[in-house]
């Protein structure tokens, strides 16, 4: 409108969308530009999301490389036609190419039996059914990830459709074209599963100034090694911070630390 980009979305503000394909340097903002798809890298860790389509609706597949910060979209593609079987083969093709740790697949309606087949044929398949309760949750998680710029993608012809759908997406999405947004929500769902099962996640919240430890370790008994969550206190007699149990001093006079 009047030569300016406009977002009609009440879910993804324009500045949030722009931040996903923009690098902010000392010389000013620059669009992120690299070719898609990015070939798989040995040692790279990938997750995938697939929104299955039947005959008229396309199958959308998005792959993220997650062992980098921010997470990088390396594959964004669409296949039309071929029915459920065509969508299934497209998912298998992308899975074979990147060997993702987790793949979240739309298992809603007729896609349910395809997701079941993929679970028996591929590793790491997460079937996801979009319902009136689950859909708001997975989309809110995507909204949070976008606001925190946890992922980026290049600005170009291959991502213009995704940018358009995000720009017009609304919570009341009846009648909206949303396949790409759903695939984005699914790959973020797979990313969250990877984060919950394969790494210790810590995050410092600037407004609250505390550390959220979602996965902590335990003390390794019989050694001098202590994991996250070990309790330390200040021993006034020695002037040292000692793990719990290493002193018989007066605890009321000591100060406790994590």
């Amino acid at each position: 409108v009047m030569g300016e980009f406009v977002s009609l979305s009440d879910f993804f503000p324009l500045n949030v969308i722009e931040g996903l394909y923009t690098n902010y340097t000392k010389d000013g903002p620059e669009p992120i530009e690299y070719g898609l798809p990015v070939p798989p890298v040995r040692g790279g860790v990938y997750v995938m999301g697939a929104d299955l389509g039947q005959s008229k609706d396309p199958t959308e597949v998005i792959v993220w490389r997650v062992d980098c910060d921010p997470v990088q979209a390396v594959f964004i593609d669409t296949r039309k036609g071929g029915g459920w079987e065509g969508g299934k083969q497209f998912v298998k093709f992308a899975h074979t190419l990147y060997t993702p740790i987790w793949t979240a697949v739309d298992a809603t309606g007729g896609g349910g039996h395809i997701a079941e087949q993929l679970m028996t044929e591929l590793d790491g398949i997460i079937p996801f059914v979009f319902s009136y309760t689950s859909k708001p949750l997975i989309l809110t998680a995507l909204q949070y990830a976008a606001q925190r710029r946890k992922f980026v993608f290049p600005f170009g012809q291959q991502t213009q459709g995704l940018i358009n759908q995000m720009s017009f997406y609304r919570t009341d999405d009846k009648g909206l074209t949303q396949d790409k947004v759903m695939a984005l929500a699914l790959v973020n769902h797979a990313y969250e599963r990877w984060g919950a099962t394969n790494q210790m996640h810590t995050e410092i919240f600037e407004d609250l100034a505390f550390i959220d430890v979602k996965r902590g370790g335990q003390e390794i008994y019989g050694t001098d090694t202590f994991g996250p969550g070990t309790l330390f206190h200040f021993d006034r007699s020695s002037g040292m911070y000692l793990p719990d149990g290493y002193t018989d001093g007066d605890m009321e006079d000591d100060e406790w630390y994590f």
Side-chain angles (χ1 to χ4, degrees), residues 117-136:
Q117 293 175 19
L118 288 171
M119 289 179 66
T120 64
E121 298 174 17
L122 302 174
D123 294 329
I125 299 296
I126 309 169
F128 186 89
V129 177
F130 286 97
S131 67
Y132 72 95
T133 55
S134 67
K135 186 174 181 178

Side-chain angles (χ1 to χ4, degrees), residues 3-127:
E4 297 290 337
F5 289 106
V6 175
S7 174
L8 301 181
S9 174
D10 62 359
F11 203 78
F12 300 107
L14 177 61
N15 65 310
V16 170
I17 299 173
E18 289 180 337
L20 299 177
Y21 57 80
T22 304
N23 277 327
Y24 299 96
T25 68
K26 62 180 181 180
D27 298 324
E30 297 178 352
I32 297 174
E33 295 179 314
Y34 58 85
L36 289 176
V38 178
V41 176
R42 172 177 285 187
V45 182
Y46 300 92
V47 297
M48 186 166 77
D51 183 68
L52 297 173
Q54 195 174 9
S55 55
K56 296 182 180 180
D57 295 328
T59 293
E60 304 283 353
V61 171
I62 299 177
V63 179
W64 284 355
R65 182 178 177 183
V66 298
D67 59 324
C68 52
D69 186 24
V71 169
Q72 184 184 57
V74 296
F75 184 94
I76 301 176
D77 208 349
T78 305
R79 289 291 184 276
K80 294 182 180 180
W84 294 118
E85 183 62 25
K88 172 186 170 182
Q89 294 304 320
F90 182 38
V91 172
K92 292 181 67 174
F93 163 76
H95 191 281
T96 301
L97 186 62
Y98 288 95
T99 318
I101 299 293
W102 294 105
T103 299
V105 178
D106 175 18
T108 311
H113 71 283
I114 297 299
E116 290 178 0
Q117 293 175 19
L118 288 171
M119 289 179 66
T120 64
E121 298 174 17
L122 302 174
D123 294 329
I125 299 296
I126 309 169

